[in-house]
Amino acid sequence: MKNFKKLVASFVMCMSLLAINPIVAHAEWRQDSNGWWNTEGSSWSVGWRQIDGKWYYFNADGYMAHDTTIEGYYLNSNGAWINNVAAQNSTSYNSNSSSSASKQYVDSNGQGLIKGSKSKIYHVPNSKYYDKTTNVVQWFKTVEEAENAGYRAPEK
């Protein structure tokens, strides 16, 4: 009986310690030659995950999707769903006139995704400074539209 009481007391103490210091599964970003993934304990993220306030999509192998549209939501080069903007329906229109094909950058509502900044520079989705451009003054659907409004491409 004495051993049983010690066993019960030990069990109660262990449970108390676990209640005070719960075991937490840690998540962290990892990268290999195939791309980025996010660990979830001893596994990896699959599907949509919100990490640090941004939404990411991980395929069945756990790798983060980027520069693509998933389930109607555009993911930038960093893999994040940008600006809560729905799908980027990039469509090329060819004309038989002397002008070249014009690529449209629009969301599912037909709103332009090209950012026109205060400094009169435009940035297309997936470009180097697109996500860093927060001082958007005007939105455009095509590069030609931005240039006709007096904006120029970034120098870098």
Side-chain angles (χ1 to χ4, degrees), residues 65-90:
H66 60 86
D67 299 316
T68 190
T69 299
I70 302 288
E71 297 175 357
Y73 298 97
Y74 179 70
L75 304 172
N76 68 8
S77 60
N78 295 323
W81 171 25
I82 59 165
N83 298 328
N84 293 337
V85 174
Q88 175 188 351
N89 300 321
S90 297

Side-chain angles (χ1 to χ4, degrees), residues 2 30 39 44 57 62 84 87 92-94 97 102 106 111 114 117 119 125 130 137 143 148 153-154:
K2 212 177 203 185
R30 300 270 175 101
T39 64
W44 57 82
Y57 184 83
N84 293 337
S92 293
Y93 293 97
N94 290 315
S97 67
S102 177
V106 296
Q111 300 298 312
I114 298 175
S117 70
S119 57
Y130 186 82
V137 178
V143 168
N148 289 338

Side-chain angles (χ1 to χ4, degrees), residues 6 17 25 39 50-51 54 57 61 77 84 91 99 104 112 117 125 127-128 135 138-139 142 148-150:
K6 284 183 180 180
L17 287 173
T39 64
Q50 187 174 25
I51 302 169
K54 295 181 182 178
Y57 184 83
D61 295 330
S77 60
N84 293 337
T91 308
S99 64
Q104 281 201 336
S117 70
S127 64
K128 185 174 182 178
N135 56 348
Q138 195 168 354
W139 294 87
T142 66
N148 289 338

Side-chain angles (χ1 to χ4, degrees), residues 17-57:
L17 287 173
L18 286 174
I20 293 171
N21 295 315
I23 299 172
V24 178
H26 294 284
E28 66 178 296
W29 286 100
R30 300 270 175 101
Q31 182 183 29
D32 66 12
S33 60
N34 293 321
W36 286 92
W37 76 94
N38 187 59
T39 64
E40 292 183 357
S42 61
S43 187
W44 57 82
S45 301
V46 175
W48 288 103
R49 293 290 188 272
Q50 187 174 25
I51 302 169
D52 296 330
K54 295 181 182 178
W55 283 97
Y56 299 88
Y57 184 83

